[in-house]
Amino acid sequence: MAIKYAITAGGNWDDNTTWSTTSGGPNDTTKPTAADDVKLDSNSGNVVLNATAVCRSLDCTGYVGTLSGSATLSIGDATAGDSNIALLFSSGMTQSATSTISLISTSATQQTVTTNGKLVRGTFTVNGAGSSYIQQDAFTTASLIRFTLTAGTWNMSSFSLTCDNMVISGATTRSLVMGTGTITLTGSATLWNATTTTNLTFSGASGTIVQTGAGATHVFIGGGLTYGTLTYMVGGSTGMDVTGSSTFGTLNFSPDTANKALRFTAGTTNTFGTFNVAGTSSYTVTLSSITAATHTLSKASGTVSSDYLSLTNSIAQGGAAWYAGANSIDNGGNTGWIFTAPPSPSASRGSDKGQSVANLLNLQRI
Amino acid sequence: MDQVYIQHRFKIEREGKSYSDALVLPINEYEALSPSEIENLKEERFTNWKEVIENPIPEPTKEELLAAIDKELSELTARRQAIEAEPVKGGTK
């Protein structure tokens, strides 16, 4: 194990001549191995990820050069990086590398990931059996870049995490800890994939997942997990399919500039604490199943107050009073929905917390 | 000696968006910043993040995907031809 500094002249990661054992020193060593901690510091020049690269950690504290290239970078070995840093981008550097970055440590020591506002521009994967990583600040990928949690623990530490789409499906032991953080998904297809939850620990009941991408139908594969808030508020998308039987603290779904479709997998039961789903006098929310059979929506108590829905094959149950609203349409196959406005004139549409649809739109418009 | 960092957490809730981030800086760099510079850094982070979520690059079209595949095929074919044109290394059995 050694610390390797990129020399002042910089160079290709894969060249031995790029590396030094001292900051600002001569090229007196070999390219980094998986056991080496790489430092790009104030004495380092531009470095190009030109071939498959490995290191135990990448620490760019004080670096003002450019990290570029597109070759895969795998970070980690059986021990934690120097100062328990796994990855640290400096605020003064230019991060233009489009490399796939994989965190593959097998050390149980919690290691830090700090991006200092720099975008991760290549697919990002956490795949270290028994590993533990914690964000030190917000984590944001460039457009179209996926975040995959395959093995190990990723702790958002209540910071924001933004990516095109997120995959947490799999069978290896892994944990996602959101805290009160927000995951913003900017993609346009399957944005959340929790298809297989074997050996997954998901701590997201206090977190928020927001979809901001355009495209056709967004797909949220819930995997039967318990979520905090899921918010769909996307002008350019046609709607959202929710698969699996999951639990949501709050579901926010409203149209803004067009009719939207919210569909659930037939035969599933999704449970809600708050069901903020409503259309407007201009745009309808079509609420149905993905296939021609019924789905079930459940809420234990209180009143659901919607309006301007077009409802098909929807069973509403659980103890709450489910008011579809006076302007909603019953297309058949519905059970438990009441197609009138709620009895109390003080109850506002679109929320069972007394929040109006208009206010909801203002609060969440992207 | 380990570098000492300051982690200055902040949250900006504006325009219906919620953004939680932190400035993570070596203590000497952090202490050199004025309060207004720190505020500017926070604003810059939020603005950059807002740009990412409001203007994501659209998914490539079918035509763009096919063109990218054609380009890659062309490059691989040229590489194959170059390798095939190289003299065979090693002796005969």
Side-chain angles (χ1 to χ4, degrees):
Chain A
M1 186 268 286
I3 293 177
K4 298 198 173 175
Y5 296 85
I7 62 171
T8 303
N12 290 329
W13 185 295
D14 198 47
D15 295 343
N16 291 334
T17 53
T18 300
W19 302 100
S20 176
T21 54
T22 55
S23 174
N27 47 2
D28 57 1
T29 184
T30 55
K31 66 184 178 185
T33 69
D36 293 332
D37 295 306
V38 169
K39 309 275 189 187
L40 307 185
D41 68 3
S42 58
N43 293 315
S44 299
N46 299 335
V47 173
V48 181
L49 282 156
N50 65 316
T52 301
V54 295
C55 60
R56 190 173 73 160
S57 67
L58 173 58
D59 179 358
C60 301
T61 299
Y63 186 49
V64 292
T66 298
L67 179 64
S68 63
S70 58
T72 296
L73 172 61
S74 296
I75 300 174
D77 73 350
T79 53
D82 186 37
S83 302
N84 294 332
I85 290 171
L87 174 65
L88 188 154
F89 291 143
S90 70
S91 56
M93 68 183 284
T94 300
Q95 199 310 94
S96 61
T98 56
S99 306
T100 290
I101 297 178
S102 298
L103 301 185
I104 59 169
S105 176
T106 54
S107 167
T109 302
Q110 190 175 65
Q111 297 176 75
T112 59
V113 175
T114 309
T115 55
N116 263 313
K118 304 302 174 187
L119 299 184
V120 171
R121 299 180 181 277
T123 299
F124 189 84
T125 302
V126 179
N127 190 16
S131 65
S132 177
Y133 298 99
I134 184 166
Q135 287 180 227
Q136 296 297 289
D137 57 5
F139 182 98
T140 307
T141 73
S143 297
L144 309 180
I145 300 302
R146 173 179 295 166
F147 185 114
T148 302
L149 173 61
T150 303
T153 295
W154 182 269
N155 188 336
M156 291 169 57
S157 191
S158 296
F159 286 118
S160 296
L161 190 162
T162 304
C163 58
D164 179 278
N165 67 92
M166 193 155 189
V167 178
I168 58 173
S169 182
T172 312
T173 301
R174 64 210 183 283
S175 300
L176 177 60
V177 182
M178 291 182 69
T180 57
T182 297
I183 296 175
T184 303
L185 304 168
T186 61
S188 57
T190 299
L191 299 186
W192 182 265
N193 185 345
T195 302
T196 304
T197 58
T198 305
N199 292 320
L200 169 68
T201 302
F202 178 70
S203 304
S206 300
T208 299
I209 299 175
V210 179
Q211 302 179 17
T212 66
T217 299
H218 291 177
V219 179
F220 186 92
I221 304 173
L225 301 174
T226 297
Y227 298 92
T229 299
L230 173 61
T231 296
Y232 170 96
M233 189 66 67
V234 188
S237 165
T238 54
M240 174 170 68
D241 286 353
V242 178
T243 74
S245 296
S246 303
T247 299
F248 299 89
T250 299
L251 174 63
N252 296 316
F253 187 99
S254 298
D256 47 8
T257 58
N259 297 333
K260 301 291 178 186
L262 173 60
R263 304 189 303 176
F264 296 89
T265 302
T268 59
T269 298
N270 283 278
T271 304
F272 304 91
T274 301
F275 191 77
N276 281 329
V277 178
T280 66
S281 57
S282 301
Y283 302 111
T284 301
V285 170
T286 300
L287 180 54
S288 64
S289 299
I290 296 171
T291 54
T294 58
H295 66 266
T296 300
L297 309 175
S298 182
K299 175 174 159 56
S301 60
T303 300
V304 172
S305 181
S306 296
D307 208 354
Y308 297 102
L309 303 179
S310 178
L311 278 158
T312 308
N313 290 329
S314 185
I315 299 172
Q317 64 175 35
W322 290 78
Y323 286 91
N327 298 293
S328 292
I329 302 166
D330 182 355
N331 297 309
N334 302 305
T335 304
W337 284 97
I338 306 164
F339 286 86
T340 63
S344 166
S346 61
S348 302
R349 291 195 310 261
S351 168
D352 52 8
K353 282 188 173 174
Q355 199 174 33
S356 74
V357 171
N359 283 340
L360 194 65
L361 283 167
N362 288 335
L363 283 169
Q364 296 165 342
R365 187 179 295 279
I366 300 299
Chain B
M1 195 176 118
D2 284 351
Q3 176 79 61
V4 178
Y5 294 89
I6 293 292
Q7 182 189 51
H8 180 141
R9 294 183 77 122
F10 65 95
K11 185 169 190 175
I12 296 177
E13 292 185 310
R14 193 186 303 158
E15 302 167 40
K17 302 173 182 67
S18 178
Y19 179 67
S20 298
D21 197 356
L23 305 177
V24 182
L25 296 168
I27 190 167
N28 57 322
E29 288 183 30
Y30 182 81
E31 289 181 343
L33 295 171
S34 68
S36 64
E37 286 172 326
I38 289 172
E39 288 308 307
N40 289 341
L41 286 173
K42 292 180 190 175
E43 281 298 318
E44 183 184 352
R45 291 281 189 89
F46 177 75
T47 302
N48 291 342
W49 173 76
K50 194 159 88 74
E51 175 67 18
V52 169
I53 65 167
E54 289 185 343
N55 298 297
I57 298 169
E59 296 282 350
T61 63
K62 184 179 176 182
E63 289 72 24
E64 287 170 333
L65 283 172
L66 290 173
I69 290 170
D70 286 345
K71 182 169 179 272
E72 200 165 335
L73 275 175
S74 171
E75 289 169 355
L76 287 171
T77 302
R79 193 172 157 202
R80 179 191 178 93
Q81 288 169 347
I83 292 170
E84 285 176 341
E86 287 176 1
V88 177
K89 293 176 182 172
T92 55
K93 287 182 182 175

